PDB file of all heavy atoms in Angstrom:
ATOM      1  N   THR O 576     -22.893  31.047   4.303  1.00  0.00           N
ATOM      2  CA  THR O 576     -21.962  32.120   3.936  1.00  0.00           C
ATOM      3  C   THR O 576     -20.718  32.072   4.815  1.00  0.00           C
ATOM      4  O   THR O 576     -19.586  32.249   4.335  1.00  0.00           O
ATOM      5  CB  THR O 576     -22.646  33.488   4.074  1.00  0.00           C
ATOM      6  OG1 THR O 576     -23.788  33.534   3.200  1.00  0.00           O
ATOM      7  CG2 THR O 576     -21.693  34.619   3.711  1.00  0.00           C
ATOM      8  N   ALA O 577     -20.907  31.823   6.110  1.00  0.00           N
ATOM      9  CA  ALA O 577     -19.772  31.690   7.022  1.00  0.00           C
ATOM     10  C   ALA O 577     -18.900  30.505   6.646  1.00  0.00           C
ATOM     11  O   ALA O 577     -17.662  30.556   6.752  1.00  0.00           O
ATOM     12  CB  ALA O 577     -20.263  31.555   8.461  1.00  0.00           C
ATOM     13  N   LYS O 578     -19.529  29.423   6.189  1.00  0.00           N
ATOM     14  CA  LYS O 578     -18.762  28.241   5.795  1.00  0.00           C
ATOM     15  C   LYS O 578     -17.850  28.566   4.616  1.00  0.00           C
ATOM     16  O   LYS O 578     -16.664  28.191   4.607  1.00  0.00           O
ATOM     17  CB  LYS O 578     -19.719  27.107   5.443  1.00  0.00           C
ATOM     18  CG  LYS O 578     -19.066  25.772   5.197  1.00  0.00           C
ATOM     19  CD  LYS O 578     -18.390  25.219   6.426  1.00  0.00           C
ATOM     20  CE  LYS O 578     -19.377  24.845   7.513  1.00  0.00           C
ATOM     21  NZ  LYS O 578     -18.710  24.211   8.689  1.00  0.00           N
ATOM     22  N   ILE O 579     -18.371  29.249   3.634  1.00  0.00           N
ATOM     23  CA  ILE O 579     -17.566  29.599   2.460  1.00  0.00           C
ATOM     24  C   ILE O 579     -16.436  30.552   2.849  1.00  0.00           C
ATOM     25  O   ILE O 579     -15.295  30.410   2.395  1.00  0.00           O
ATOM     26  CB  ILE O 579     -18.461  30.206   1.363  1.00  0.00           C
ATOM     27  CG1 ILE O 579     -19.445  29.142   0.847  1.00  0.00           C
ATOM     28  CG2 ILE O 579     -17.614  30.757   0.222  1.00  0.00           C
ATOM     29  CD1 ILE O 579     -20.530  29.697  -0.064  1.00  0.00           C
ATOM     30  N   ALA O 580     -16.731  31.526   3.700  1.00  0.00           N
ATOM     31  CA  ALA O 580     -15.704  32.476   4.129  1.00  0.00           C
ATOM     32  C   ALA O 580     -14.590  31.782   4.906  1.00  0.00           C
ATOM     33  O   ALA O 580     -13.400  32.116   4.757  1.00  0.00           O
ATOM     34  CB  ALA O 580     -16.335  33.579   4.977  1.00  0.00           C
ATOM     35  N   THR O 581     -14.964  30.821   5.725  1.00  0.00           N
ATOM     36  CA  THR O 581     -13.958  30.068   6.482  1.00  0.00           C
ATOM     37  C   THR O 581     -13.084  29.257   5.533  1.00  0.00           C
ATOM     38  O   THR O 581     -11.864  29.165   5.719  1.00  0.00           O
ATOM     39  CB  THR O 581     -14.630  29.152   7.507  1.00  0.00           C
ATOM     40  OG1 THR O 581     -15.496  29.928   8.340  1.00  0.00           O
ATOM     41  CG2 THR O 581     -13.597  28.458   8.382  1.00  0.00           C
ATOM     42  N   GLY O 582     -13.698  28.683   4.521  1.00  0.00           N
ATOM     43  CA  GLY O 582     -12.936  27.955   3.518  1.00  0.00           C
ATOM     44  C   GLY O 582     -11.980  28.849   2.755  1.00  0.00           C
ATOM     45  O   GLY O 582     -10.824  28.470   2.499  1.00  0.00           O
ATOM     46  N   ARG O 583     -12.442  30.039   2.387  1.00  0.00           N
ATOM     47  CA  ARG O 583     -11.543  30.977   1.704  1.00  0.00           C
ATOM     48  C   ARG O 583     -10.342  31.313   2.572  1.00  0.00           C
ATOM     49  O   ARG O 583      -9.219  31.438   2.082  1.00  0.00           O
ATOM     50  CB  ARG O 583     -12.296  32.261   1.346  1.00  0.00           C
ATOM     51  CG  ARG O 583     -13.240  32.128   0.167  1.00  0.00           C
ATOM     52  CD  ARG O 583     -13.599  33.478  -0.411  1.00  0.00           C
ATOM     53  NE  ARG O 583     -14.286  34.315   0.559  1.00  0.00           N
ATOM     54  CZ  ARG O 583     -15.599  34.465   0.640  1.00  0.00           C
ATOM     55  NH1 ARG O 583     -16.384  33.816  -0.209  1.00  0.00           N
ATOM     56  NH2 ARG O 583     -16.141  35.256   1.539  1.00  0.00           N
ATOM     57  N   TYR O 584     -10.571  31.434   3.880  1.00  0.00           N
ATOM     58  CA  TYR O 584      -9.469  31.731   4.797  1.00  0.00           C
ATOM     59  C   TYR O 584      -8.441  30.607   4.763  1.00  0.00           C
ATOM     60  O   TYR O 584      -7.234  30.863   4.661  1.00  0.00           O
ATOM     61  CB  TYR O 584      -9.997  31.915   6.220  1.00  0.00           C
ATOM     62  CG  TYR O 584      -8.904  32.202   7.226  1.00  0.00           C
ATOM     63  CD1 TYR O 584      -8.510  33.515   7.491  1.00  0.00           C
ATOM     64  CD2 TYR O 584      -8.230  31.177   7.880  1.00  0.00           C
ATOM     65  CE1 TYR O 584      -7.491  33.787   8.398  1.00  0.00           C
ATOM     66  CE2 TYR O 584      -7.206  31.436   8.779  1.00  0.00           C
ATOM     67  CZ  TYR O 584      -6.846  32.746   9.036  1.00  0.00           C
ATOM     68  OH  TYR O 584      -5.823  33.008   9.924  1.00  0.00           O
ATOM     69  N   TYR O 585      -8.910  29.370   4.848  1.00  0.00           N
ATOM     70  CA  TYR O 585      -7.948  28.257   4.860  1.00  0.00           C
ATOM     71  C   TYR O 585      -7.148  28.223   3.572  1.00  0.00           C
ATOM     72  O   TYR O 585      -5.915  28.036   3.593  1.00  0.00           O
ATOM     73  CB  TYR O 585      -8.661  26.921   5.063  1.00  0.00           C
ATOM     74  CG  TYR O 585      -7.676  25.805   5.352  1.00  0.00           C
ATOM     75  CD1 TYR O 585      -7.283  25.543   6.657  1.00  0.00           C
ATOM     76  CD2 TYR O 585      -7.096  25.061   4.329  1.00  0.00           C
ATOM     77  CE1 TYR O 585      -6.339  24.559   6.938  1.00  0.00           C
ATOM     78  CE2 TYR O 585      -6.156  24.076   4.592  1.00  0.00           C
ATOM     79  CZ  TYR O 585      -5.781  23.832   5.899  1.00  0.00           C
ATOM     80  OH  TYR O 585      -4.840  22.875   6.175  1.00  0.00           O
ATOM     81  N   MET O 586      -7.821  28.395   2.456  1.00  0.00           N
ATOM     82  CA  MET O 586      -7.137  28.314   1.168  1.00  0.00           C
ATOM     83  C   MET O 586      -6.119  29.437   1.003  1.00  0.00           C
ATOM     84  O   MET O 586      -5.057  29.236   0.400  1.00  0.00           O
ATOM     85  CB  MET O 586      -8.151  28.353   0.023  1.00  0.00           C
ATOM     86  CG  MET O 586      -9.251  27.305   0.097  1.00  0.00           C
ATOM     87  SD  MET O 586      -8.700  25.581   0.169  1.00  0.00           S
ATOM     88  CE  MET O 586      -8.416  25.223  -1.562  1.00  0.00           C
ATOM     89  N   ALA O 587      -6.424  30.615   1.551  1.00  0.00           N
ATOM     90  CA  ALA O 587      -5.540  31.764   1.382  1.00  0.00           C
ATOM     91  C   ALA O 587      -4.432  31.828   2.415  1.00  0.00           C
ATOM     92  O   ALA O 587      -3.302  32.245   2.115  1.00  0.00           O
ATOM     93  CB  ALA O 587      -6.351  33.062   1.434  1.00  0.00           C
ATOM     94  N   ARG O 588      -4.718  31.380   3.648  1.00  0.00           N
ATOM     95  CA  ARG O 588      -3.780  31.609   4.760  1.00  0.00           C
ATOM     96  C   ARG O 588      -3.075  30.351   5.256  1.00  0.00           C
ATOM     97  O   ARG O 588      -2.013  30.442   5.854  1.00  0.00           O
ATOM     98  CB  ARG O 588      -4.534  32.238   5.945  1.00  0.00           C
ATOM     99  CG  ARG O 588      -5.175  33.574   5.660  1.00  0.00           C
ATOM    100  CD  ARG O 588      -4.213  34.695   5.804  1.00  0.00           C
ATOM    101  NE  ARG O 588      -3.610  34.769   7.110  1.00  0.00           N
ATOM    102  CZ  ARG O 588      -3.209  35.903   7.692  1.00  0.00           C
ATOM    103  NH1 ARG O 588      -3.401  37.067   7.072  1.00  0.00           N
ATOM    104  NH2 ARG O 588      -2.626  35.887   8.875  1.00  0.00           N
ATOM    105  N   GLN O 589      -3.652  29.192   5.024  1.00  0.00           N
ATOM    106  CA  GLN O 589      -3.068  27.950   5.531  1.00  0.00           C
ATOM    107  C   GLN O 589      -2.520  27.045   4.428  1.00  0.00           C
ATOM    108  O   GLN O 589      -1.426  26.485   4.571  1.00  0.00           O
ATOM    109  CB  GLN O 589      -4.109  27.181   6.349  1.00  0.00           C
ATOM    110  CG  GLN O 589      -4.550  27.887   7.619  1.00  0.00           C
ATOM    111  CD  GLN O 589      -3.423  28.017   8.629  1.00  0.00           C
ATOM    112  OE1 GLN O 589      -2.596  27.127   8.767  1.00  0.00           O
ATOM    113  NE2 GLN O 589      -3.373  29.137   9.321  1.00  0.00           N
ATOM    114  N   LEU O 590      -3.262  26.898   3.348  1.00  0.00           N
ATOM    115  CA  LEU O 590      -2.842  25.977   2.297  1.00  0.00           C
ATOM    116  C   LEU O 590      -1.498  26.337   1.670  1.00  0.00           C
ATOM    117  O   LEU O 590      -0.749  25.427   1.275  1.00  0.00           O
ATOM    118  CB  LEU O 590      -3.936  25.876   1.231  1.00  0.00           C
ATOM    119  CG  LEU O 590      -3.799  24.716   0.235  1.00  0.00           C
ATOM    120  CD1 LEU O 590      -3.724  23.373   0.957  1.00  0.00           C
ATOM    121  CD2 LEU O 590      -4.951  24.727  -0.759  1.00  0.00           C
TER     122      LEU O 590
END
Side-chain angles (χ1 to χ4, degrees):
T576 300
K578 188 64 67 176
I579 294 170
T581 305
R583 285 198 298 262
Y584 179 89
Y585 191 88
M586 305 303 277
R588 299 276 302 210
Q589 295 294 323
L590 194 56

